[in-house]
Protein backbone atom coordinates (compact mmCIF):
# COMPACT_ATOMS: atom_id res chain seq x y z
CA UNK A 1 0.00 0.00 0.00
CA UNK A 2 1.16 3.55 -0.41
CA UNK A 3 2.51 4.70 2.93
CA UNK A 4 1.16 8.22 2.70
CA UNK A 5 -1.52 9.18 5.15
CA UNK A 6 -4.53 8.36 3.05
CA UNK A 7 -8.13 8.44 4.21
CA UNK A 8 -9.45 5.70 1.92
CA UNK A 9 -10.98 2.86 3.94
CA UNK A 10 -8.89 -0.22 4.46
CA UNK A 11 -6.09 0.05 1.88
CA UNK A 12 -4.89 -3.46 1.11
CA UNK A 13 -1.36 -4.72 0.59
CA UNK A 14 -0.30 -8.21 -0.53
CA UNK A 15 -0.94 -10.59 2.34
CA UNK A 16 1.88 -12.02 4.39
CA UNK A 17 0.88 -15.51 3.29
CA UNK A 18 0.95 -14.54 -0.38
CA UNK A 19 4.43 -13.10 0.01
CA UNK A 20 5.83 -15.80 2.30
CA UNK A 21 7.37 -17.94 -0.41
CA UNK A 22 9.32 -15.03 -1.76
CA UNK A 23 9.39 -11.72 0.09
CA UNK A 24 7.29 -9.48 2.28
CA UNK A 25 9.54 -6.48 1.77
CA UNK A 26 11.02 -4.42 -1.00
CA UNK A 27 14.38 -3.14 -2.10
CA UNK A 28 15.98 -1.78 -5.21
CA UNK A 29 19.17 -2.75 -6.98
CA UNK A 30 21.07 -1.69 -10.04
CA UNK A 31 20.47 -3.87 -13.08
CA UNK A 32 23.73 -4.93 -14.68
CA UNK A 33 23.40 -4.11 -18.38
CA UNK A 34 26.77 -5.48 -19.45
CA UNK A 35 26.70 -8.69 -17.41
CA UNK A 36 29.69 -7.63 -15.27
CA UNK A 37 27.64 -7.60 -12.05
CA UNK A 38 25.10 -10.41 -12.33
CA UNK A 39 24.38 -10.23 -8.58
CA UNK A 40 22.51 -6.98 -9.23
CA UNK A 41 19.98 -8.71 -11.49
CA UNK A 42 16.99 -9.15 -11.19
CA UNK A 43 15.97 -5.73 -9.92
CA UNK A 44 13.81 -5.48 -6.81
CA UNK A 45 11.17 -2.75 -6.38
CA UNK A 46 11.65 -0.22 -3.60
CA UNK A 47 7.87 0.40 -3.62
CA UNK A 48 5.15 -0.53 -2.94
CA UNK A 49 5.82 -1.89 0.51
CA UNK A 50 5.63 -5.65 0.88
CA UNK A 51 6.15 -6.39 -2.82
CA UNK A 52 6.68 -9.96 -3.95
CA UNK A 53 9.98 -10.87 -5.60
CA UNK A 54 9.34 -13.23 -8.55
CA UNK A 55 11.11 -16.59 -8.27
CA UNK A 56 12.02 -15.77 -4.69
CA UNK A 57 12.61 -19.37 -3.61
CA UNK A 58 14.93 -20.05 -6.55
CA UNK A 59 16.89 -16.88 -5.81
CA UNK A 60 17.19 -17.86 -2.15
CA UNK A 61 18.58 -21.29 -3.03
CA UNK A 62 20.99 -19.77 -5.56
CA UNK A 63 22.21 -17.37 -2.87
CA UNK A 64 22.75 -20.18 -0.36
CA UNK A 65 24.58 -22.20 -3.02
CA UNK A 66 27.19 -19.56 -3.79
CA UNK A 67 25.37 -17.48 -6.44
CA UNK A 68 24.21 -14.50 -4.39
CA UNK A 69 21.98 -11.70 -5.60
CA UNK A 70 20.57 -8.75 -3.73
CA UNK A 71 17.11 -10.02 -4.72
CA UNK A 72 17.86 -13.46 -3.28
CA UNK A 73 19.18 -11.99 -0.03
CA UNK A 74 16.15 -9.73 0.31
CA UNK A 75 13.82 -12.65 -0.34
CA UNK A 76 15.62 -14.69 2.31
CA UNK A 77 15.40 -11.92 4.91
CA UNK A 78 11.74 -11.31 4.24
CA UNK A 79 10.81 -14.98 4.28
CA UNK A 80 12.41 -15.07 7.71
CA UNK A 81 10.52 -11.94 8.78
CA UNK A 82 7.24 -13.39 7.50
CA UNK A 83 7.61 -16.56 9.57
CA UNK A 84 8.72 -14.46 12.52
CA UNK A 85 5.53 -12.38 12.20
CA UNK A 86 3.37 -15.51 12.25
CA UNK A 87 5.26 -16.79 15.29
CA UNK A 88 4.88 -13.47 17.09
CA UNK A 89 1.13 -13.48 16.54
CA UNK A 90 0.93 -17.02 17.92
CA UNK A 91 3.12 -16.16 20.91
CA UNK A 92 1.16 -12.98 21.59
CA UNK A 93 -2.19 -14.74 21.56
CA UNK A 94 -0.97 -17.55 23.82
CA UNK A 95 0.63 -15.16 26.35
CA UNK A 96 3.92 -17.02 25.85
CA UNK A 97 6.66 -17.01 28.47
CA UNK A 98 10.01 -15.36 27.95
CA UNK A 99 11.60 -18.77 27.46
CA UNK A 100 9.13 -19.62 24.69
CA UNK A 101 9.79 -16.30 22.95
CA UNK A 102 13.55 -16.81 23.11
CA UNK A 103 13.26 -20.37 21.81
CA UNK A 104 11.13 -19.22 18.89
CA UNK A 105 13.64 -16.54 17.87
CA UNK A 106 16.64 -18.86 18.02
CA UNK A 107 14.81 -21.56 16.08
CA UNK A 108 14.02 -19.18 13.22
CA UNK A 109 17.51 -17.64 13.24
CA UNK A 110 19.03 -21.12 12.92
CA UNK A 111 16.67 -21.92 10.07
CA UNK A 112 17.11 -18.75 7.99
CA UNK A 113 20.05 -16.59 9.09
CA UNK A 114 22.74 -19.11 10.05
CA UNK A 115 22.78 -20.96 6.68
CA UNK A 116 23.28 -17.66 4.85
CA UNK A 117 26.07 -16.51 7.15
CA UNK A 118 27.71 -19.95 7.00
CA UNK A 119 27.79 -19.88 3.18
CA UNK A 120 29.92 -16.70 3.16
CA UNK A 121 32.14 -16.97 6.22
CA UNK A 122 35.64 -15.54 5.86
CA UNK A 123 34.88 -14.00 2.46
CA UNK A 124 32.82 -11.11 1.12
CA UNK A 125 29.37 -11.97 -0.17
CA UNK A 126 30.16 -9.98 -3.32
CA UNK A 127 33.50 -8.85 -4.81
CA UNK A 128 34.51 -5.53 -3.28
CA UNK A 129 34.53 -2.77 -5.91
CA UNK A 130 37.53 -0.49 -5.39
CA UNK A 131 35.79 2.48 -7.01
CA UNK A 132 35.34 4.68 -3.90
CA UNK A 133 31.64 3.80 -3.69
CA UNK A 134 29.95 4.18 -0.30
CA UNK A 135 27.30 1.94 1.28
CA UNK A 136 25.25 3.68 3.97
CA UNK A 137 23.50 1.39 6.47
CA UNK A 138 20.37 2.98 7.96
CA UNK A 139 18.39 1.23 10.68
CA UNK A 140 15.10 3.10 11.03
CA UNK A 141 12.47 2.54 13.74
CA UNK A 142 9.27 4.51 13.11
CA UNK A 143 11.50 7.33 11.91
CA UNK A 144 9.91 10.62 10.83
CA UNK A 145 13.26 12.07 9.66
CA UNK A 146 14.32 9.23 7.35
CA UNK A 147 13.43 11.11 4.15
CA UNK A 148 15.26 14.22 5.40
CA UNK A 149 18.33 12.12 6.24
CA UNK A 150 18.39 10.66 2.72
CA UNK A 151 17.98 14.10 1.18
CA UNK A 152 20.84 15.58 3.20
CA UNK A 153 23.09 12.61 2.38
CA UNK A 154 22.58 12.85 -1.38
CA UNK A 155 22.41 16.66 -1.58
CA UNK A 156 25.73 17.04 0.21
CA UNK A 157 27.66 14.11 -1.25
CA UNK A 158 30.40 15.07 -3.68
CA UNK A 159 29.68 11.91 -5.66
CA UNK A 160 26.01 11.05 -5.11
CA UNK A 161 26.18 8.56 -7.97
CA UNK A 162 28.53 6.48 -5.80
CA UNK A 163 26.26 6.49 -2.75
CA UNK A 164 24.17 3.37 -2.05
CA UNK A 165 21.64 2.98 0.76
CA UNK A 166 20.65 -0.12 2.71
CA UNK A 167 17.64 0.79 4.85
CA UNK A 168 15.66 -1.34 7.28
CA UNK A 169 12.34 0.47 7.69
CA UNK A 170 10.56 -0.74 10.83
CA UNK A 171 7.20 1.00 10.85
CA UNK A 172 3.64 0.78 12.03
CA UNK A 173 2.07 0.39 8.60
CA UNK A 174 -1.39 -0.26 10.04
CA UNK A 175 -3.38 -3.07 11.57
CA UNK A 176 -2.34 -6.44 10.15
CA UNK A 177 -5.45 -8.56 9.66
CA UNK A 178 -5.59 -12.33 10.12
CA UNK A 179 -5.32 -12.86 6.34
CA UNK A 180 -2.17 -10.73 6.27
CA UNK A 181 -3.77 -7.67 4.64
CA UNK A 182 -3.10 -4.26 6.17
CA UNK A 183 -5.75 -1.80 7.32
CA UNK A 184 -4.15 1.65 7.35
CA UNK A 185 -7.32 3.59 8.13
CA UNK A 186 -7.97 5.63 11.25
CA UNK A 187 -5.40 5.65 14.04
CA UNK A 188 -4.09 2.08 14.31
CA UNK A 189 -0.69 2.97 15.80
CA UNK A 190 0.61 4.16 19.17
CA UNK A 191 2.83 7.05 20.18
CA UNK A 192 5.63 6.75 22.66
CA UNK A 193 5.16 8.04 26.20
CA UNK A 194 4.29 11.71 25.75
CA UNK A 195 4.62 14.18 28.61
CA UNK A 196 1.19 15.74 29.14
CA UNK A 197 1.80 17.68 32.35
CA UNK A 198 2.94 17.45 35.94
CA UNK A 199 1.41 15.68 38.93
CA UNK A 200 1.09 17.21 42.41
CA UNK A 201 4.68 16.24 43.22
CA UNK A 202 5.98 18.05 40.14
CA UNK A 203 6.78 14.84 38.31
CA UNK A 204 6.11 14.34 34.59
CA UNK A 205 2.82 12.67 33.70
CA UNK A 206 2.94 10.61 30.52
CA UNK A 207 0.41 9.12 28.15
CA UNK A 208 0.48 6.79 25.13
CA UNK A 209 -2.02 7.85 22.46
CA UNK A 210 -3.50 6.42 19.27
CA UNK A 211 -2.03 7.87 16.09
CA UNK A 212 -2.14 7.50 12.29
CA UNK A 213 0.29 5.23 10.42
CA UNK A 214 3.95 6.19 10.29
CA UNK A 215 5.47 8.20 7.49
CA UNK A 216 7.35 6.03 5.01
CA UNK A 217 10.58 7.94 4.48
CA UNK A 218 11.46 5.86 1.41
CA UNK A 219 8.22 6.84 -0.31
CA UNK A 220 8.56 10.49 0.71
CA UNK A 221 12.11 10.56 -0.66
CA UNK A 222 11.53 8.62 -3.88
CA UNK A 223 8.37 10.45 -4.96
CA UNK A 224 10.31 13.72 -5.32
CA UNK A 225 11.50 14.39 -8.86
CA UNK A 226 14.92 15.48 -7.62
CA UNK A 227 15.61 12.15 -5.90
CA UNK A 228 13.56 9.65 -7.88
CA UNK A 229 16.53 8.95 -10.16
CA UNK A 230 18.48 7.46 -7.24
CA UNK A 231 15.61 5.12 -6.46
CA UNK A 232 15.11 4.14 -10.10
CA UNK A 233 18.83 3.57 -10.62
CA UNK A 234 18.83 1.14 -7.72
CA UNK A 235 20.83 3.15 -5.20
CA UNK A 236 18.09 2.65 -2.61
CA UNK A 237 17.80 -0.87 -1.17
CA UNK A 238 15.22 -1.36 1.54
CA UNK A 239 13.62 -4.07 3.63
CA UNK A 240 10.28 -3.26 5.21
CA UNK A 241 9.50 -4.69 8.65
CA UNK A 242 6.32 -4.50 10.72
CA UNK A 243 7.10 -2.87 14.05
CA UNK A 244 6.04 -6.08 15.83
CA UNK A 245 9.13 -7.76 14.37
CA UNK A 246 11.50 -5.00 15.56
CA UNK A 247 14.27 -6.57 17.62
CA UNK A 248 16.31 -3.51 18.55
CA UNK A 249 19.08 -1.60 16.76
CA UNK A 250 21.71 -4.35 16.78
CA UNK A 251 19.48 -6.75 14.84
CA UNK A 252 18.23 -4.03 12.48
CA UNK A 253 21.87 -3.24 11.66
CA UNK A 254 22.53 -6.93 11.08
CA UNK A 255 19.73 -6.96 8.50
CA UNK A 256 20.91 -3.71 6.89
CA UNK A 257 24.45 -5.10 6.51
CA UNK A 258 23.04 -7.85 4.29
CA UNK A 259 21.95 -5.25 1.72
CA UNK A 260 25.59 -4.36 1.03
CA UNK A 261 26.33 -4.99 -2.64
CA UNK A 262 30.10 -4.80 -3.06
CA UNK A 263 30.66 -1.09 -2.37
CA UNK A 264 34.18 0.01 -1.32
CA UNK A 265 33.29 1.66 1.98
CA UNK A 266 30.81 0.64 4.64
CA UNK A 267 29.19 3.39 6.74
CA UNK A 268 26.74 2.83 9.59
CA UNK A 269 24.68 5.71 10.94
CA UNK A 270 21.43 6.46 12.67
CA UNK A 271 18.51 7.58 10.51
CA UNK A 272 18.06 11.12 11.89
CA UNK A 273 21.15 12.96 10.62
CA UNK A 274 22.40 15.97 8.72
CA UNK A 275 25.54 15.92 6.55
CA UNK A 276 28.27 18.44 5.75
CA UNK A 277 29.07 19.45 2.18
CA UNK A 278 31.16 16.74 0.45
CA UNK A 279 30.97 14.56 3.56
CA UNK A 280 31.65 11.41 1.53
CA UNK A 281 34.92 12.63 0.03
CA UNK A 282 36.08 14.18 3.30
CA UNK A 283 35.55 10.93 5.20
CA UNK A 284 37.35 9.02 2.45
CA UNK A 285 40.29 11.42 2.77
CA UNK A 286 40.27 11.09 6.57
CA UNK A 287 40.23 7.30 6.28
CA UNK A 288 43.28 7.40 4.01
CA UNK A 289 45.05 9.87 6.33
CA UNK A 290 44.96 7.43 9.25
CA UNK A 291 48.32 5.70 9.63
CA UNK A 292 46.84 2.21 10.00
CA UNK A 293 44.98 2.34 6.69
CA UNK A 294 43.42 0.19 5.27
CA UNK A 295 42.42 -1.55 8.53
CA UNK A 296 40.89 1.63 9.90
CA UNK A 297 37.53 2.43 11.49
CA UNK A 298 36.55 6.10 11.86
CA UNK A 299 33.98 6.65 14.60
CA UNK A 300 32.50 9.38 16.76
CA UNK A 301 29.45 10.68 18.56
CA UNK A 302 28.44 13.60 16.34
CA UNK A 303 27.16 16.90 17.74
CA UNK A 304 23.41 17.39 17.99
CA UNK A 305 20.98 19.46 15.98
CA UNK A 306 17.44 20.59 16.59
CA UNK A 307 14.64 21.07 14.04
CA UNK A 308 14.55 24.63 12.77
CA UNK A 309 18.29 25.25 13.24
CA UNK A 310 19.05 24.93 9.53
CA UNK A 311 20.26 22.05 7.42
CA UNK A 312 23.98 22.81 7.14
CA UNK A 313 26.49 21.03 9.37
CA UNK A 314 29.18 23.27 10.79
CA UNK A 315 32.53 21.46 10.53
CA UNK A 316 33.62 21.74 14.15
CA UNK A 317 36.61 19.89 15.70
CA UNK A 318 35.79 16.24 16.30
CA UNK A 319 35.56 14.70 19.76
CA UNK A 320 37.38 11.52 20.72
CA UNK A 321 35.55 8.56 22.26
CA UNK A 322 37.76 8.29 25.34
CA UNK A 323 35.33 7.57 28.14
CA UNK A 324 33.30 4.62 29.37
CA UNK A 325 31.14 3.85 32.38
CA UNK A 326 28.70 1.31 33.77
CA UNK A 327 25.39 2.67 35.02
CA UNK A 328 24.34 0.36 37.83
CA UNK A 329 20.79 1.71 37.68
CA UNK A 330 20.30 0.17 34.21
CA UNK A 331 18.12 -2.96 34.20
CA UNK A 332 20.96 -4.99 32.65
CA UNK A 333 24.14 -2.98 33.35
CA UNK A 334 26.89 -3.10 30.73
CA UNK A 335 29.61 -0.68 29.63
CA UNK A 336 28.51 2.49 27.86
CA UNK A 337 30.95 4.69 25.96
CA UNK A 338 31.11 8.47 25.67
CA UNK A 339 33.26 11.36 24.49
CA UNK A 340 36.44 12.77 25.98
CA UNK A 341 38.61 15.57 24.64
CA UNK A 342 38.25 17.22 21.23
CA UNK A 343 40.84 18.00 18.57
CA UNK A 344 42.26 21.52 18.65
CA UNK A 345 42.30 21.85 14.86
CA UNK A 346 46.05 21.75 14.24
CA UNK A 347 46.59 17.97 14.20
CA UNK A 348 48.26 16.59 11.06
CA UNK A 349 46.73 13.14 11.41
CA UNK A 350 43.72 11.54 13.09
CA UNK A 351 44.53 9.75 16.35
CA UNK A 352 43.43 6.43 17.76
CA UNK A 353 40.61 5.80 20.21
CA UNK A 354 39.46 2.56 21.89
CA UNK A 355 35.74 2.64 21.07
CA UNK A 356 33.34 2.40 18.13
CA UNK A 357 30.01 4.22 18.25
CA UNK A 358 27.20 2.18 16.71
CA UNK A 359 25.49 5.39 15.54
CA UNK A 360 28.38 6.33 13.25
CA UNK A 361 31.39 4.57 11.85
CA UNK A 362 33.12 4.64 8.46
CA UNK A 363 35.35 1.80 7.31
CA UNK A 364 36.43 -0.37 4.39
CA UNK A 365 34.00 -3.11 3.38
CA UNK A 366 36.58 -5.77 4.27
CA UNK A 367 35.41 -5.07 7.82
CA UNK A 368 32.31 -7.17 7.07
CA UNK A 369 34.53 -10.20 6.47
CA UNK A 370 36.50 -9.85 9.71
CA UNK A 371 33.70 -8.55 11.94
CA UNK A 372 30.38 -9.83 10.56
CA UNK A 373 27.29 -8.58 12.32
CA UNK A 374 25.96 -10.95 14.99
CA UNK A 375 22.46 -12.43 14.31
CA UNK A 376 22.06 -13.55 17.93
CA UNK A 377 21.70 -10.32 19.91
CA UNK A 378 17.97 -9.50 19.66
CA UNK A 379 16.27 -7.04 22.02
CA UNK A 380 19.62 -5.47 23.01
CA UNK A 381 19.89 -1.69 23.15
CA UNK A 382 23.10 -1.35 25.15
CA UNK A 383 26.12 -3.58 24.62
CA UNK A 384 26.56 -3.49 20.85
CA UNK A 385 29.20 -0.73 21.04
CA UNK A 386 31.59 -2.49 23.41
CA UNK A 387 31.08 -5.68 21.40
CA UNK A 388 31.92 -3.93 18.11
CA UNK A 389 34.92 -2.21 19.66
CA UNK A 390 36.46 -5.34 21.16
CA UNK A 391 35.79 -7.48 18.11
CA UNK A 392 37.22 -4.95 15.65
CA UNK A 393 40.36 -4.23 17.69
CA UNK A 394 41.18 -7.89 18.36
CA UNK A 395 40.75 -8.60 14.64
CA UNK A 396 43.47 -6.06 13.92
CA UNK A 397 41.43 -2.97 13.08
CA UNK A 398 42.53 0.34 14.61
CA UNK A 399 39.84 2.82 15.60
CA UNK A 400 40.27 6.55 14.93
CA UNK A 401 38.36 9.71 15.78
CA UNK A 402 37.80 11.88 12.68
CA UNK A 403 39.34 15.32 13.12
CA UNK A 404 36.16 17.13 12.04
CA UNK A 405 32.46 16.61 12.65
CA UNK A 406 30.91 16.09 9.23
CA UNK A 407 27.49 14.92 10.42
CA UNK A 408 25.02 16.06 13.09
CA UNK A 409 22.58 13.88 15.00
CA UNK A 410 19.18 14.58 16.53
CA UNK A 411 19.48 13.46 20.14
CA UNK A 412 16.13 12.48 21.60
CA UNK A 413 15.30 12.79 25.28
CA UNK A 414 12.43 10.62 26.45
CA UNK A 415 10.11 13.58 26.95
CA UNK A 416 9.85 13.96 23.14
CA UNK A 417 7.40 11.06 23.27
CA UNK A 418 8.79 9.20 20.27
CA UNK A 419 8.04 5.47 20.02
CA UNK A 420 10.67 3.01 21.32
CA UNK A 421 11.03 -0.57 20.18
CA UNK A 422 10.80 -1.89 23.73
CA UNK A 423 7.35 -0.31 24.01
CA UNK A 424 6.25 -2.33 21.00
CA UNK A 425 7.70 -5.50 22.52
CA UNK A 426 5.77 -4.87 25.73
CA UNK A 427 2.47 -4.32 23.89
CA UNK A 428 3.01 -7.32 21.62
CA UNK A 429 3.51 -9.78 24.45
CA UNK A 430 1.19 -8.07 26.93
CA UNK A 431 3.85 -7.25 29.53
CA UNK A 432 5.55 -3.83 29.70
CA UNK A 433 8.87 -5.20 31.01
CA UNK A 434 9.20 -8.09 28.57
CA UNK A 435 12.02 -6.53 26.54
CA UNK A 436 14.11 -6.10 29.70
CA UNK A 437 13.48 -9.73 30.61
CA UNK A 438 14.45 -11.01 27.14
CA UNK A 439 17.50 -8.75 26.99
CA UNK A 440 18.60 -9.94 30.43
CA UNK A 441 19.39 -13.37 29.00
CA UNK A 442 20.74 -12.35 25.59
CA UNK A 443 23.08 -9.62 26.84
CA UNK A 444 25.12 -12.24 28.70
CA UNK A 445 26.38 -13.36 25.29
CA UNK A 446 28.11 -9.99 24.99
CA UNK A 447 29.18 -9.96 28.63
CA UNK A 448 30.77 -13.39 28.28
CA UNK A 449 32.80 -12.20 25.31
CA UNK A 450 33.82 -9.02 27.14
CA UNK A 451 34.98 -10.93 30.23
CA UNK A 452 32.32 -10.08 32.84
CA UNK A 453 32.72 -12.28 35.94
CA UNK A 454 28.96 -12.91 36.15
CA UNK A 455 28.77 -14.21 32.57
CA UNK A 456 31.27 -17.06 32.52
CA UNK A 457 30.24 -20.15 30.57
CA UNK A 458 29.85 -22.00 33.88
CA UNK A 459 27.39 -19.41 35.22
CA UNK A 460 25.49 -19.31 31.94
CA UNK A 461 25.07 -23.10 32.14
CA UNK A 462 23.88 -22.80 35.73
CA UNK A 463 21.14 -20.46 34.50
CA UNK A 464 20.30 -22.97 31.75
CA UNK A 465 20.62 -20.34 29.00
CA UNK A 466 23.60 -21.79 27.15
CA UNK A 467 21.60 -21.45 23.91
CA UNK A 468 22.56 -17.75 23.93
CA UNK A 469 26.12 -18.82 23.03
CA UNK A 470 25.00 -20.15 19.64
CA UNK A 471 27.81 -19.85 17.05
CA UNK A 472 29.60 -17.26 19.20
CA UNK A 473 32.97 -18.37 17.86
CA UNK A 474 32.02 -16.82 14.51
CA UNK A 475 30.93 -13.47 16.01
CA UNK A 476 33.46 -13.05 18.78
CA UNK A 477 36.97 -11.75 19.36
CA UNK A 478 39.73 -12.05 16.80
CA UNK A 479 43.16 -13.66 17.10
CA UNK A 480 45.33 -10.70 16.06
CA UNK A 481 45.25 -9.18 19.58
CA UNK A 482 43.95 -10.54 22.87
CA UNK A 483 41.06 -9.49 25.09
CA UNK A 484 43.48 -8.73 27.93
CA UNK A 485 45.44 -6.45 25.61
CA UNK A 486 42.25 -4.64 24.65
CA UNK A 487 41.24 -4.14 28.28
CA UNK A 488 44.64 -2.61 29.02
CA UNK A 489 44.47 -0.49 25.88
CA UNK A 490 41.04 0.90 26.79
CA UNK A 491 41.61 1.37 30.53
CA UNK A 492 39.10 -1.27 31.58
CA UNK A 493 39.66 -3.57 34.54
CA UNK A 494 37.71 -6.48 35.99
CA UNK A 495 35.86 -5.71 39.22
CA UNK A 496 35.23 -9.17 40.65
CA UNK A 497 33.67 -7.79 43.83
CA UNK A 498 30.77 -6.30 41.85
CA UNK A 499 30.83 -8.76 38.92
CA UNK A 500 31.48 -5.89 36.54
CA UNK A 501 34.02 -4.16 34.32
CA UNK A 502 35.36 -0.89 35.64
CA UNK A 503 36.45 2.04 33.46
CA UNK A 504 39.46 4.21 34.20
CA UNK A 505 40.63 7.50 32.72
CA UNK A 506 42.29 6.93 29.32
CA UNK A 507 45.08 9.51 29.29
CA UNK A 508 46.65 8.59 25.94
CA UNK A 509 43.26 8.85 24.20
CA UNK A 510 42.43 12.30 25.55
CA UNK A 511 45.94 13.55 24.74
CA UNK A 512 45.81 12.11 21.21
CA UNK A 513 49.24 10.46 21.46
CA UNK A 514 48.57 7.32 19.40
CA UNK A 515 48.62 7.79 15.65
Amino acid sequence: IPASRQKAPKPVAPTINEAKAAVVGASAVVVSTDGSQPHLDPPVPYLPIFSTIPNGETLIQDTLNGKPTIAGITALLQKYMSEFHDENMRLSQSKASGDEILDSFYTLARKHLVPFDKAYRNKPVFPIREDDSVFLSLASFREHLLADTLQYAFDNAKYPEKLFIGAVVQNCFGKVNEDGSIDASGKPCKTGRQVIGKNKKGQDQTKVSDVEIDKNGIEDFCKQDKYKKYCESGQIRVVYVHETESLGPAMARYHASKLWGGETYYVQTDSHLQFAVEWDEKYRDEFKAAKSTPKVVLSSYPPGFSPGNGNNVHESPGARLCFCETKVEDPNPIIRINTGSSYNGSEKYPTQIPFIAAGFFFTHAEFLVDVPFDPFIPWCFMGEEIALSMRAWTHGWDIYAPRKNLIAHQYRPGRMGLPKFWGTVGRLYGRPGMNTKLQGSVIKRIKNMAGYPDATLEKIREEKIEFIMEDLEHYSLGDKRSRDDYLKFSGISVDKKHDALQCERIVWCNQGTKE
Side-chain angles (χ1 to χ4, degrees), residues 336-358:
R336 297 183 179 200
I337 67 173
N338 213 324
T339 55
S341 66
S342 297
Y343 288 100
N344 60 35
S346 63
E347 292 84 358
K348 293 183 178 180
Y349 303 99
T351 58
Q352 290 190 39
I353 55 176
F355 304 121
I356 294 176

Side-chain angles (χ1 to χ4, degrees), residues 320-333:
R320 303 178 180 95
L321 295 170
C322 297
F323 178 78
C324 70
E325 63 177 337
T326 298
K327 292 193 173 183
V328 295
E329 66 271 20
D330 287 347
N332 299 301

Side-chain angles (χ1 to χ4, degrees), residues 144-145 148 152 274 304-311 410-412 416:
H144 64 286
L145 293 181
D148 291 347
Y152 300 147
Q274 295 177 346
F305 76 87
S306 299
N309 287 357
N311 302 332
Q410 187 188 59
Y411 291 97
R412 297 170 163 182
M416 286 183 69

Side-chain angles (χ1 to χ4, degrees), residues 229-246:
K229 62 183 177 181
Y230 301 121
C231 307
E232 295 298 323
S233 69
Q235 291 173 249
I236 305 297
R237 304 165 190 158
V238 52
V239 169
Y240 293 105
V241 180
H242 287 292
E243 68 162 322
T244 49
E245 280 64 72
S246 299

